[in-house]
Amino acid sequence: MYPNTRMRRLRNGKIGNLIRETSLGLDDLIYPMFVDETAESTVEVPSMEGVLRLPLSEVVNEARNVADLGISSLILFGIPSNKDEKGSSACGDEDIVQQATRAIKEELGDDMVVITDVCMCEYTSHGHCGIIDNETHDVINDETLPLLGEIAASHARAGADMVAPSGMMDGMVGAIRQSLDQENFSDVPIMSYAAKYCSAFYGPFRDAADSCYCFGDRSTYQMDPANSDEALREVELDIMEGADIVMVKPALPYLDIIYRIKQEFGMPTAAYNVSGEYSMLKAAAQQGWLDEKKVMYESLMSIKRAGADMIITYFAKEMAQLLNE
């Protein structure tokens, strides 16, 4: 009770560091990387300052730059040269993500954990995350599952350390686990986008990954932002099907979901600090309205404090530079 209890006593200098409850380190960061089969040189994404679409020839250099900063994990997204209704360019052994994965692993080996996004939206001509019924324009869940299994297995053959299915198809984790196990990749873990919301914060990503949809929206397979109990059901089902890590996406508007999932399941939990979260802070910093480094640090710390064990973030390189300082 005041004045005997003075909370300010422990907020001074290095004493404050001793009692800090949450820490943010290099091992918490996962760097998203876009590899573009159509690109001849590196291209900056207009809506995401500092985020690049890389030609295959630059992927290893970028991975090495990331490793030199002390970041030991990245997640790969591919932009193919050809798209069709079935996303056929997603699962070939010589397709773009598979080539990029092999190149990085051959150069960096165990110094870089390569995670691959397993979805179809970047590869389909319609931009949706699965096979489409051409009459109703609905995504056909069960016909999509074998294709996701094929994609995941092709990534594992290329050397991926982990696969990350993001399509929010019911049963996708089980289908991928079965496919991996059948090809003797039982040790390859699955990081499931288990609670992925139908969010307006994904807009800049669709510029980066060229994955805009041609009709409708994704509300039939991504989650309603109003729901939180549903997120726990989604996560529980993915765990039962074999997910090794569960993810919440987006992060900042859903800190309560991260907290609830971590408290309920105690599972390794990832959070995706998505493109819209990144771009709005960048835009505010450009206008001089916010201190970019401070809001970056505060935002990522809040995600960690909510319960995330790892954070996919476009701020990864800048955060690493700040931590290294």
Side-chain angles (χ1 to χ4, degrees), residues 44-239:
E44 185 167 322
V45 179
S47 57
M48 299 178 71
E49 180 192 343
V51 175
L52 306 173
R53 287 172 109 174
L54 300 164
L56 183 61
S57 60
E58 292 297 325
V59 163
V60 170
N61 287 337
E62 180 70 352
R64 189 184 294 111
N65 291 337
V66 170
D68 288 344
L69 288 168
I71 299 170
S72 58
S73 301
L74 60 81
I75 183 166
L76 274 176
F77 299 90
I79 300 101
S81 57
N82 295 300
K83 301 188 179 199
D84 60 28
E85 287 191 349
K86 294 186 176 181
S88 303
S89 295
C91 60
D93 288 338
E94 296 305 318
D95 285 332
I96 188 63
V97 165
Q98 292 81 349
Q99 290 190 64
T101 298
R102 280 198 300 273
I104 294 168
K105 294 305 294 183
E106 286 172 5
E107 180 69 22
L108 296 178
D110 292 338
D111 291 337
M112 180 59 68
V113 173
V114 176
I115 307 165
T116 55
D117 180 75
V118 177
C119 195
M120 295 176 64
C121 60
E122 298 106 309
Y123 304 91
T124 54
S125 52
H126 45 72
H128 281 283
C129 301
I131 299 298
I132 294 290
D133 183 315
N134 289 325
E135 292 184 4
T136 65
H137 283 175
D138 290 334
V139 175
I140 308 173
N141 190 98
D142 291 5
E143 286 187 24
T144 300
L145 298 181
L147 298 177
L148 296 177
E150 288 179 30
I151 296 168
S154 72
H155 291 177
R157 287 195 298 271
D161 297 292
M162 186 186 304
V163 295
S166 62
M168 284 298 285
M169 296 294 110
D170 292 337
M172 67 180 184
V173 172
I176 288 170
R177 185 72 273 161
Q178 182 179 18
S179 180
L180 291 172
D181 290 352
Q182 285 177 346
E183 295 211 24
N184 296 317
F185 294 118
S186 58
D187 290 336
V188 173
I190 298 172
M191 173 194 285
S192 176
Y193 291 62
K196 182 178 179 180
Y197 283 84
C198 187
S199 172
F201 282 92
Y202 304 149
F205 173 90
R206 290 172 186 148
D207 290 340
D210 191 21
S211 61
C212 293
Y213 39 81
C214 297
F215 52 81
D217 59 28
R218 293 175 178 158
S219 60
T220 63
Y221 49 98
Q222 295 178 355
M223 285 183 53
D224 184 340
N227 294 350
S228 57
D229 290 344
E230 181 186 353
L232 270 66
R233 294 182 66 196
E234 288 278 12
V235 168
E236 183 176 22
L237 287 168
D238 281 6
I239 293 169

Side-chain angles (χ1 to χ4, degrees), residues 22-24 296-306:
T22 305
S23 62
L24 181 65
M296 170 185 69
Y297 180 82
E298 188 175 343
S299 297
L300 296 180
M301 183 63 78
S302 75
I303 298 167
K304 187 77 187 299
R305 191 181 65 244

Side-chain angles (χ1 to χ4, degrees), residues 18 100 193 218 258 264:
L18 289 172
Y193 291 62
R218 293 175 178 158
I258 298 169
E264 178 73 19

Side-chain angles (χ1 to χ4, degrees), residues 218-273:
R218 293 175 178 158
S219 60
T220 63
Y221 49 98
Q222 295 178 355
M223 285 183 53
D224 184 340
N227 294 350
S228 57
D229 290 344
E230 181 186 353
L232 270 66
R233 294 182 66 196
E234 288 278 12
V235 168
E236 183 176 22
L237 287 168
D238 281 6
I239 293 169
M240 291 171 64
E241 289 178 25
D244 301 283
I245 300 171
V246 292
M247 188 195 302
V248 177
K249 180 183 180 182
L252 291 175
Y254 299 94
L255 295 176
D256 60 318
I257 306 302
I258 298 169
Y259 179 81
R260 287 192 66 186
I261 286 170
K262 189 63 178 178
Q263 292 296 307
E264 178 73 19
F265 300 107
M267 284 284 290
T269 303
Y272 200 141
N273 179 219

Side-chain angles (χ1 to χ4, degrees), residues 6-17 19:
R6 293 177 179 264
M7 298 298 289
R8 291 178 60 183
R9 289 189 187 119
L10 297 179
R11 292 178 185 152
N12 295 321
K14 292 185 178 180
I15 293 176
N17 294 339
I19 65 162

